[in-house]
């Protein structure tokens, strides 16, 4: 741990830990002390809190996140040879990966993100070496997008160290794919807000057609991020539960399109049927659970289009949730429009109600809340929040409360009382920046 950072129990990727953000000077000194030379470039990639639009991005439906002041800093310099070495003040282990053929070190839980980033840079800088240092104050494994901040930061810092020019759009595109190499079939929300966020505003992101617009955070609205006490690692059971729902959404799309006689384009996303005809009614008639094999039977569809995941295999016979997943996603997309309108109108109680509805839907239909998250949200609402909901993929991790500034202290206290903390205020902050 570098000078100036708070001493905490040994951090582990997948465990929530907090360290205070070090200055650029501290990063340069830590880098030089370890490698004997200064970094060529350092980037800060923020974490994110999604305000609303949860589990909509991989269906190409809109999201409304903010970047936060906590994040991950990556410093890099080029090195002789074709090895990329990394060490971190936050995460255990010091991976050294071959640039030409990076394979993650199973003993180091954050190395898949590094390997994914290297793979996505391989066409631009084949067989180049580098030294990396990773620092930050973003809790890992909690749903504040530490993995995407790491991946975006590594791609930006390595590209700069190797003198490779990447547009912000290219960084987003490569970071999305890099993260899928790590096994989660995620959408593009995290990487996009991490790169494009602006302080003081949420970012409304549309994926089809692609678009972004700033939605100012109105006066009188403040945010708290609070840990539920349950880890939500992007590996293991949470990853499998996430990927099952991605497949469930595709199965729902295929069945709904079949019912209304719509020709699907690929990739299959609920966006293609959202708002079409009576799909919002038909969704209630979908089966509760279905396997891809059962779904493909009777619909003229290649099963691989349903189960195609960027990495890993998917069990075609596995029954995945269909009806409730689709219902959540379609209704959540409508809530994003309504929440944006409420922010524009400064109607904060309406905005809060939408957050609560989103949480109810994530709990009841999508099935990614936990009792600890439910208790945490209830406590924060009772303490004066306009609304509260789980944020990020769920299955544990963090919740968000939207509250008047005068209630922030009480909301934080209630959150810590309910779940043990950490809980802290977050502000809509700027995106990726070079230090
Ligand atoms: C994770 C993924 C995102 C998004 C959220 C849920 O954070 O990385 O792409 O799907 O879950 O909204």
């Amino acid at each position: 741990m570098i000078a100036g950072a708070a001493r905490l129990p040994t951090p582990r990727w997948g465990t929530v830990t907090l360290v205070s953000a070090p200055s650029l000077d501290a990063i340069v000194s830590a880098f030089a002390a370890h490698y004997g030379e200064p970094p060529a470039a350092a980037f800060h990639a923020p974490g994110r809190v999604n305000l609303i639009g949860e589990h909509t991005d991989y269906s190409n439906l809109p999201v409304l996140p903010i970047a936060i002041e906590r994040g991950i800093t990556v410093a890099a310099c080029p090195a002789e040879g074709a090895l990329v070495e990394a060490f971190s003040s936050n995460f255990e282990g010091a991976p050294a990966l071959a640039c030409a053929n990076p394979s993650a070190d199973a003993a180091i839980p954050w190395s898949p993100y590094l390997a994914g980033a290297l793979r996505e840079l391989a066409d631009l800088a084949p067989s180049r070496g580098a030294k990396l240092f990773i620092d930050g104050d973003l809790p890992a494994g909690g749903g504040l997008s530490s993995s995407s901040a790491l991946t975006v930061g590594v791609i930006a810092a390595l590209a700069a160290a190797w003198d490779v020019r990447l547009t912000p759009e290219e960084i987003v595109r490569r970071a999305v794919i890099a993260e899928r190499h790590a096994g989660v079939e995620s959408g593009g929300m995290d990487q996009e807000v991490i790169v494009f966020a602006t302080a003081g505003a949420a970012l409304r992101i549309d994926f089809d057609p692609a678009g972004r617009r700033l939605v100012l955070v109105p006066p009188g609205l403040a945010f708290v991020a609070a840990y539920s006490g349950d880890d939500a690692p992007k590996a293991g059971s949470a990853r499998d539960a996430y990927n099952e729902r991605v497949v469930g959404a595709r199965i729902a799309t295929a069945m709904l399109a079949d019912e209304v006689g719509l020709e699907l384009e690929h990739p299959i996303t609920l966006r293609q049927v959202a708002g079409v005809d009576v799909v919002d009614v038909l969704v209630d008639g979908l089966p509760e659970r279905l396997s891809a094999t059962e779904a493909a039977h009777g619909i003229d569809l290649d099963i691989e289009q349903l189960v195609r995941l960027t990495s890993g295999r998917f069990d075609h016979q596995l029954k995945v949730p269909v009806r409730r997943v689709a219902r959540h996603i379609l209704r959540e997309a409508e809530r994003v429009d309504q929440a944006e309108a409420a922010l524009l109108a400064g109607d904060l109680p309406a905005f809060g109600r939408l957050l609560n509805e989103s949480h109810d839907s994530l709990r009841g239909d999508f099935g990614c809340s936990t009792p600890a998250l439910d208790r945490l949200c209830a406590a924060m609402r009772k303490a004066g929040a306009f609304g509260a909901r789980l944020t990020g993929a769920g299955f544990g991790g963090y919740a968000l409360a939207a509250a008047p500034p005068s209630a922030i202290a009480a909301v934080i206290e209630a959150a810590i009382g309910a779940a043990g903390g950490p809980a802290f205020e977050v502000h809509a902050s700027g995106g990726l920046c070079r230090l």
Side-chain angles (χ1 to χ4, degrees):
M1 179 163 303
I2 67 175
R7 272 198 185 279
L8 285 150
T10 312
R12 180 168 67 80
W13 188 261
T15 298
V16 171
T17 53
L18 292 175
V19 293
S20 56
S23 68
L24 179 58
D25 284 351
I27 288 162
V28 171
S29 318
F31 193 99
H34 190 83
Y35 291 121
E37 59 182 317
F43 281 79
H44 177 78
R48 67 101 185 86
V49 165
N50 189 17
L51 300 186
I52 199 161
E54 214 64 88
H55 287 283
T56 48
D57 61 350
Y58 48 78
S59 289
N60 277 352
L61 288 163
V63 292
L64 189 66
I66 57 170
I68 59 175
E69 56 271 55
R70 289 168 188 252
I72 284 185
T73 300
V74 183
C77 77
E80 297 293 320
L83 212 61
V84 173
E85 300 175 53
F87 82 105
S88 167
S89 59
N90 299 53
F91 314 124
E92 269 177 15
L97 308 182
C99 199
N101 184 20
S103 53
D105 181 338
I108 304 179
W110 53 283
S111 76
Y113 301 104
L114 187 56
L118 291 180
R119 216 174 278 182
E120 281 315 300
L121 287 170
D123 61 321
L124 299 171
S127 301
R128 298 210 47 188
K131 296 167 180 172
L132 288 172
F133 170 54
I134 289 142
D135 195 63
D137 59 356
L138 195 59
L144 301 184
S145 221
S146 48
S147 51
S148 303
L150 175 66
T151 314
V152 166
V154 167
I155 288 177
L158 281 178
W162 288 334
D163 273 331
V164 171
R165 290 194 73 82
L166 283 180
T167 62
E169 282 79 5
E170 267 297 288
I171 293 177
V172 169
R173 198 184 64 76
R174 287 172 190 265
V176 170
I177 303 171
E179 209 164 326
R180 288 189 189 152
H181 291 311
V184 182
E185 188 72 355
S186 50
M189 163 174 69
D190 304 343
Q191 299 79 0
E192 195 145 341
V193 70
I194 286 168
V195 170
F196 289 110
T198 296
L203 192 66
R204 153 92 188 214
I205 306 170
D206 288 276
F207 300 95
D208 179 22
R212 289 185 295 273
R213 58 177 177 259
L214 296 178
V215 182
L216 290 182
V217 175
L221 180 58
F223 301 113
V224 168
Y227 183 53
S228 66
D230 293 336
D231 229 4
K234 258 194 173 173
S237 60
R239 178 190 58 204
D240 295 345
Y242 184 106
N243 287 343
E244 280 173 21
R245 285 156 175 76
V246 174
V247 172
R250 288 186 195 146
I251 290 176
T253 308
M255 298 188 81
L256 290 168
D258 188 59
E259 278 199 63
V260 297
L262 191 84
E263 189 92 358
L264 283 175
E265 289 163 17
H266 297 288
I268 299 171
T269 63
L270 272 172
R271 165 76 178 92
Q272 294 176 56
V273 295
V276 173
D277 220 346
V278 286
V279 154
D280 55 336
V281 176
L282 294 177
V283 73
D284 286 324
L286 288 173
E288 183 71 39
R289 297 179 79 85
L290 208 64
S291 72
T293 312
E294 289 165 332
H297 187 76
I299 308 175
D300 185 18
L301 202 66
D302 173 7
I303 200 164
E304 286 302 327
Q305 289 164 354
L306 293 175
V307 301
R308 188 183 49 212
L309 300 176
T310 317
S311 70
R313 292 185 51 75
F314 195 84
D315 179 358
H316 297 192
Q317 312 294 335
L318 182 75
K319 284 190 188 288
V320 297
V322 175
R323 180 175 67 222
R324 286 158 178 261
V325 161
R327 190 163 61 192
H328 163 75
I329 294 172
L330 292 170
R331 296 195 180 156
E332 181 78 351
E334 290 171 9
R335 280 190 287 272
V336 174
D337 291 338
Q338 293 161 5
E340 182 182 2
L343 289 181
L344 290 175
D347 188 346
L348 303 182
F351 179 70
R353 279 195 297 278
L354 289 160
L355 299 195
N356 294 344
E357 285 171 20
S358 168
H359 184 83
D360 289 347
S361 173
L362 288 161
R363 185 191 62 224
D365 268 349
F366 199 81
C368 69
S369 189
T370 63
L373 279 164
D374 298 340
R375 279 194 298 275
L376 176 59
C377 290
M380 294 197 290
R381 290 173 197 151
K382 191 172 166 212
F386 296 119
R389 57 181 287 277
L390 71 86
T391 187
F395 309 106
Y398 269 71
L400 152 81
S406 58
I408 288 295
V411 169
I412 290 175
E413 198 184 319
I416 293 171
F424 43 86
E425 186 173 2
V426 291
H427 300 89
S429 304
L432 179 73
C433 66
R434 189 166 184 166
L435 301 176

